[in-house]
Amino acid sequence: MMRSLYSGVSGLQNHQTRMDVIGNNISNVNTVGFKRGRVNFQDMISQQMSGAARPTDEVGGVNPKEVGLGMTVASIDNVFTQGNLQSTGITTDLAIQGNGFFILKNGEESFYTRNGAFSLDMNGTLVNPSNGLRVQGWMAREMDGEMVVQTAATPTDLTIPVGSKDPAKETSNVKYACNLNKNTPEILEGANEADIAKGTWNTEQKIYDSFGNEHLLSISFRRVVGNPNQWQATVNVDENNADFTQTRIGLGTTDGMENTFLVNFDNYGLLESITDTAGNVTNPEGQAILQASYTVPNSNADENGNPYRQTININMGTIGSAVDTITQSSSKSTTKGFYQDGYTLGYLDTFKIDSSGVITGVYSNGTNRTIGQIALATFTNNQGLEKAGDNTYMESINSGMARIGESGTAGRGSLLAGALEMSNVDLSEQMTDMIVTQRGFQSNAKTIQTADTLLETVLSLKR
């Protein structure tokens, strides 16, 4: 029997396998996150007709004589090159730039994918809508009033509670900064309303009580007569509201204090100290912080029958600094409150995902809170992953274990929200490979036909 017959058969079979892979690539040319396959061939065992001989003193060496017995598939590789990114504008669509895989769970079974076309189910869980597999990551936990994500923990399901409440928070801290005009006129005894207005710098800042009700914190500054670098500040919360008792302020305490304090500057216009009405003076360095209190209306009285008072820390900045601090220079007064940490009740309206996979909730009261972070996985050998259908992969004994972490670290790539990674199939390349594969198949078929003709010639020798 002629060896070329079986060589041709192996060529037909394996070129058919290559055509199957090419057909699968082309069929998935528009599949999100698809990675094309590639077939590599190798020759099979060869029949040795004579072995090699080493050189002698009389003659040189002789090469071996071997006849190949066909070919086989060496490997079918998944090519994990980066696909093009297509913008979709959908918040839950995610694309990975670089290495890395999204982690999906079905019970305790883990799957990995580059397809980031996700959505929320009825419970707010982030899932792959085609099969319900749940996207894995880390949920944020509240620690000391701050939402913290611990990426060293085991990933869990990600739930985005759209419509959930963000409870009202009372204002605890207010910060002031900018400048008081050195050339502001002093208000002398007997000054009229116009002179008082010209010599006073008024500031207003919205604050919130524990119920989320809005109040107006006002601080007015006027120069102290006879002291060129000193200003008197008067503090009031809703000063025109008759239901409020007097606002109290002091250094380290608010009980029994009045609502004024003194701001002292050095000869360079930098904040030197704060003095309250009890004569307490701030430390020579560090933050200048006063405590103010006011009565919260319609609140329960304390155990002594006194109305509930809310305390606010008023930060005037760093002593001796010109950054985020009150200063005194010969330019227009601009001092104002630039930060306060209270807010009213809000509801989660929407959310956004940044390049590190952090999910941030945007609430109707203007606050932003970290909800969680998406986890990514990498493998030592991506090509060792096994396909599990639905555009997913599974860990195999040759892929290595999944190394899970946040994006942007250890080569996991970065995330782009509102976009999807397209298939990395190049149609022009696949069409060219199809032609080459077709010609290879035809050539192997011709080998069989030619071998059959030779056999026919042998059989006809008897005639």
Side-chain angles (χ1 to χ4, degrees), residues 343-378:
Y343 44 82
T344 187
L345 174 72
Y347 295 88
L348 180 60
D349 280 342
T350 185
F351 61 91
K352 53 188 177 182
I353 304 174
D354 65 17
S355 61
S356 60
V358 174
I359 306 170
T360 303
V362 180
Y363 290 82
S364 59
N365 57 4
T367 62
N368 294 327
R369 285 185 176 270
T370 300
I371 296 175
Q373 187 170 2
I374 294 170
L376 295 182
T378 55

Side-chain angles (χ1 to χ4, degrees), residues 152-298:
T154 302
T156 61
D157 298 343
L158 289 170
T159 301
I160 302 173
V162 175
S164 63
K165 294 179 182 178
D166 183 23
K169 179 180 180 297
E170 64 183 39
T171 299
S172 299
N173 299 282
V174 180
K175 294 182 180 180
Y176 281 78
C178 291
N179 185 64
L180 292 173
N181 189 351
K182 171 71 172 176
N183 296 325
T184 301
E186 296 178 350
I187 301 176
L188 302 176
E189 186 177 353
N192 57 33
E193 289 187 8
D195 291 335
I196 293 174
K198 292 177 183 178
T200 304
W201 176 251
N202 294 306
T203 69
E204 293 182 343
Q205 173 66 48
K206 291 181 181 179
I207 59 172
Y208 298 88
D209 63 23
S210 54
F211 300 106
N213 292 318
E214 183 181 300
H215 304 285
L216 197 62
L217 170 65
S218 61
I219 301 181
S220 60
F221 298 87
R222 61 176 61 184
R223 293 182 60 192
V224 176
V225 178
N227 194 325
N229 293 322
Q230 190 175 70
W231 294 65
Q232 183 184 57
T234 303
V235 183
N236 284 293
V237 175
D238 290 347
E239 60 180 323
N240 296 323
N241 190 333
D243 294 334
F244 279 73
T245 59
Q246 181 185 12
T247 305
R248 304 171 186 170
I249 193 163
L251 291 169
T253 182
T254 58
D255 293 335
M257 297 295 173
E258 297 181 6
N259 65 333
T260 62
F261 62 92
L262 298 175
V263 183
N264 306 301
F265 295 97
D266 62 20
N267 288 327
Y268 296 97
L270 301 179
L271 182 62
E272 185 175 62
S273 64
I274 300 289
T275 306
D276 65 14
T277 53
N280 299 311
V281 183
T282 52
N283 293 328
E285 59 184 17
Q287 300 286 313
I289 301 176
L290 300 109
Q291 285 73 42
S293 68
Y294 66 97
T295 302
V296 177
N298 302 317

Side-chain angles (χ1 to χ4, degrees), residues 8 60 65 110 218 239 278 320 409:
K65 300 181 182 67
S110 296
S218 61
E239 60 180 323
T409 62

Side-chain angles (χ1 to χ4, degrees), residues 286-328:
Q287 300 286 313
I289 301 176
L290 300 109
Q291 285 73 42
S293 68
Y294 66 97
T295 302
V296 177
N298 302 317
S299 59
N300 296 330
D302 62 18
E303 61 274 10
N304 298 321
N306 297 318
Y308 171 68
R309 296 181 67 85
Q310 179 178 324
T311 299
I312 309 169
N313 293 319
I314 299 178
N315 190 334
M316 292 294 170
T318 303
I319 294 174
S321 173
V323 180
D324 289 340
T325 304
I326 291 179
T327 60
Q328 178 191 240

Side-chain angles (χ1 to χ4, degrees), residues 29-35 81-86 88 419-425:
V29 67
N30 290 317
T31 300
V32 175
F34 178 79
K35 301 301 177 183
T81 56
Q82 178 75 47
N84 294 328
L85 303 185
Q86 179 182 4
T88 64
L420 292 174
E421 181 186 13
M422 296 293 99
S423 169
N424 68 348
V425 174

Side-chain angles (χ1 to χ4, degrees), residues 437-448:
T437 302
Q438 179 185 10
R439 293 306 181 191
F441 188 92
Q442 290 174 336
S443 299
N444 280 279
K446 184 62 69 175
T447 298
I448 296 174

